[in-house]
Amino acid sequence: MYISPRNELSEFRRRYRWMRLFVFLTFLVFVGRLVYLQLINGDDYHQKSINNVIRTVSLPAVRGRIFDSKGRVMATSMPSHTLVAIPHYVDMGEGFARLVELLGLDEQQSRQMADKLNDYQKDLRDMRRFQQISLLENLAPEQLAAVKAHQDELAGIDVVDEPRRFYPYGEVASHVIGYMNEVNGDDIALARENENIIDKYRPGDLIGRKGIERSFEPELRGIRGWKKKVVDARGLSLSREKTKNLLPDASMQEPSPGYDITLTIDVALQKLTRQALSGHPSAAAVVMNINDGSVLAAVSRPSVDSNRMTRGLSYAENDEINENPYRPRIDKTLYENYFPGSVFKPFTAFAALEEGIVTPEDVFNCSGFHEFGGRIFKCTHSHGDMTLYDALVQSCNVYFYNLAEMTGMDRIARYAGEFGFGQKTGVGYNTEAAGHIPTREWYDKNFPGEFRIGHTLNASIGQGNTKVTLMQVAAAYSAMANGGTLYQPQVIQSIETPDGEVVKAFQPIIKRRVSVGKHNMDLVMEALVGVVEDEKGTANSAYNENVSIAGKTGTAQVVKQSRKKGDTMAEFYYQNRDHAWFASVAPVENPEIAIVVLVEHGGAGGEHAAPVGVEIARRYFDEIAPRHEAPLLADSPSDSKSNVRIPVEDSAPTTASAHRH
Amino acid sequence: MAGSLVYNRRDEFDWVLVSVVFLISTIGILNLYSTGVASGAPELYLTQLYWVVLGGIGAFVVAIIDYKHYERYGYFAYGGGILMLVLVLLFGKEVGGSVRWFAIGEFRFQPSELMKVLLVVGLAKYLHHDPKAEGRKLEDLFVPALMTGLAMVLILKEPDLGTALLCLLVFLSIMMLTRLTFRSTMALIVSTPIVAIIGWSYLLKDYQKARVISFWNLFVDPEADKLGAGWHANQSIIAIGSGQLTGKGYLDGTAGPHHFLPECRTDFPFSVFAEEHGFLGAAGLVFLYLFLIMWCIRIAAQSRDRFGSVIAVGIGSIIFWHVVINLGMVMGVMPVVGITLPLFSYGGSSILTFMFGFGLLLNVSIHRYRRNYGA
């Protein structure tokens, strides 16, 4: 056996045991750590690793469409693609250059995009770098194709489908339809507390803001779905095959689309109503089916295109709209209270007739004014001897002052109340004003000791403290024309599934039958025919022999204003001009529709509002509901030919009508 | 003479060492395949295979020639390493802010990797000729400390904090083999924190400091900072932990194929392995490394002379510290420092260096029964 010079090694020999012990203990620590990580906390880390790679992607629910009564699309969702990024994973060198090349961006666009990404990337500790941000909205088809085809080269970049709301008719019915914008903190908090809302709102979601979009948000919205997909750390999707064992069984929930809504509005009528009002900067009109209360047109001018509102306004645009003196944001058919003026007179007449205070034959003399309690109550001019018929046709105030004196405020209020005045109509969209019908009690409560009969006189002609909305007037005139049934105005015909199955059909809602006798209503209706057709009628200047219409003009006084600094004379005159009303039903025989027109600061109702109402009626009979039988009043054969005309003015897409109706 | 140069009838081939090295390398290559297969770079494992084969052949060549010849040229080897470090600072290729590589076409060689082994050879030569029966005083440590310090300063200039630190640890490990006086031991213990403070203040780059801080934060609050600088450590722990007892299965992990560990091939291959093979696989691999290092100590203990012992302990300590720092990093018990896992991490310089080391080990092991011709 060879003996090596081990003495030289003696210095080292005693160390090996300690080295072995040290190495062994160190490795024991590692095995201990593995036990801790893999065996003790393994489940926890396993879950974390799955969460790491599984990303839940929302699948947007397709919002319900809104159709008009003829099936024309008024609101729909268009497919749209947004380029998004998780900044952390975006390579700002080659990757970004490739992206710019694929999108075909110019230098300025690419610089803007780079700045945006850099903003998120510059600070390593900024958690926002892991948030999905949108880089480019509304991708063009070729951009979409380019990005999709080269997805694997674009780490951190993705395309998401974000349907955009589109309103083919723009501002035609924008107050009724409303618009959408992004949810705010309050919306999210409210929805969170509401058990009925299953699909809670998240930041970035859109919500209906006005009109039908807002009122029927729950029905239109649908419920979003989700899909779990396996991604790598750069957010790129991986094939299912490689990752099958990572995905849970339920990896997808289809979204359920929202319900479609069919309105009672007829866009063609809505359009022509707008056109009839086009000469007036600030005006409104309602056309209603008198036999069921459905709203066929509701126009408020001016208005803002729903597409523009949904897209979002710049500060400048927003200021411009807010400062517009004609108040484009206001729905003047519902939100605004107006003095009804003489449009109210039929209801004063009903009170007096029903209470037996006057007969149609009773005569009052109008000398141009009425003196009561030391005060002068004016008429437009001296009308002479007036019966009820004359007083309505010529809109004589003095006649109604006498009526009011005898009838009293509370009785007038009771009959007005029966016709729906002083209460919200419940049409169900937008903020609605209730209007106001004064009573003794109201005066005693709010102005103790100040009540005078003079207040009654003012109330009888629709002034003083009497306030109404256009929708109320339309409903009341409908009731008057249909024999006394007050319907609740409705704007929705039905709610359907996307396949067209009716979920809910809206039946006419009768609020009440008014207690006014048919003969009294016929009396008033007869006078309303005279308003238009009688030579002395206040609306006779608007008379068109081919148009069968009966109505009442009104001139609502506005609070006189002194000339403000900076106002031109034209503006000054405009502000002090009275509001012009025309409330009507058509045709005279077997009436179908009520047409209510209000022209703000239009002046006299007969001259400025009545022609609008007559024009709406004329075109309604021409274009919307052509008379197939001989016209009731006119017998011109050339006219009956033109009645066959089919509306051709609709340039907007009506594809939905093809398969729906 | 030729016979004694390459073969002697007393030589005994070390099949155990070769088997362990072969086993770890093979597992490493298979593991690399898993990290690359889903990321579109599956050819990397082949590159690694070439390096392992090339390095293995080199190791046999290094092993066969009796190491007494290397002993003779020990200082030349060390000097050559230092020269390379100087040259790399002058002519090296800058990558990611540091100058560590010689670029020869596609291939990049990192002299600081090789320097670790050459330093061991240099120190072995010095200790071989400086046998002591009594404890070593401070002045006895001067020359080996200078040899180590020179290498460290050059490596820190690149800068390559991890490798410099490793040189220091190798030096300390080898010195633990010798008998030190109480004063020397204390001096080493006291000087360590001083060096650490100086290093922190003047030598560490901001990104390195951030990693150390993030490690500390992770240690204090494991949930904090997991998206910032602690991303790697956190993802590595998740990957390892999620492997549980038996793992997710080969090629079915998330860390590698899903890019959750962007540097998984060089720094975090163990995490990928532990995720796919679970505790059984990971503990098995840890045991293989433990066995390898214990085998190094055994070779050192059986070596015929001091040179052989120091070589074996030195190479063993390189392996040991690489494993400790790398596993400590991937298991979240040490800061993230870019130190490779021997034979497991991707990289030509690393593989060649370790294979060179194994060649020396094998050499010491094969020739342990030969007569000692040296001093």
Side-chain angles (χ1 to χ4, degrees), chain B residues 15 57 71 99 104 107 139 148 150 152 164 187 205 218 255-256 262 276 279 289-290 306 313 317-319 345 353 356:
Chain B
W15 287 108
I57 292 167
E71 191 269 331
V99 188
I104 306 156
F107 176 55
E139 51 264 39
T148 310
L150 181 59
M152 278 177 70
K205 300 277 170 188
L218 194 76
E276 294 184 354
F279 177 77
Y289 281 113
L290 172 66
R306 292 168 65 92
V313 166
S317 73
I318 292 174
I319 299 166
S345 293
T353 302
F356 178 42

Side-chain angles (χ1 to χ4, degrees), chain B residues 29-39 249-253 256-257 272 276:
Chain B
I29 288 166
L30 291 173
N31 191 55
L32 261 181
Y33 178 75
S34 178
T35 66
V37 69
S39 60
Y250 186 50
L251 303 182
D252 278 334
V272 175
E276 294 184 354

Side-chain angles (χ1 to χ4, degrees), chain A residues 128-165:
Chain A
R128 293 181 312 151
R129 61 199 287 107
F130 289 97
Q131 261 173 24
Q132 183 170 295
I133 60 166
S134 86
L135 288 181
L136 194 62
E137 289 179 356
N138 225 353
L139 290 181
E142 58 273 15
Q143 291 176 319
L144 176 68
V147 172
K148 285 270 185 198
H150 299 273
Q151 187 82 70
D152 56 322
E153 301 165 46
L154 304 169
I157 301 283
D158 206 351
V159 175
V160 295
D161 297 337
E162 274 187 335
R164 288 166 81 86
R165 202 62 166 161

Side-chain angles (χ1 to χ4, degrees), chain B residues 33-92:
Chain B
Y33 178 75
S34 178
T35 66
V37 69
S39 60
E43 70 280 4
L44 279 179
Y45 83 100
L46 276 178
T47 316
Q48 181 85 340
L49 178 63
Y50 298 149
W51 288 125
V52 167
V53 170
L54 192 68
I57 292 167
F60 276 107
V61 173
V62 168
I64 285 167
I65 300 164
D66 191 319
Y67 63 84
K68 69 178 179 191
H69 302 288
Y70 303 145
E71 191 269 331
R72 197 175 300 148
Y73 300 106
Y75 289 141
F76 284 102
Y78 171 81
I82 293 294
L83 184 66
M84 278 198 297
L85 288 179
V86 173
L87 289 176
V88 85
L89 283 176
L90 295 176
F91 307 111

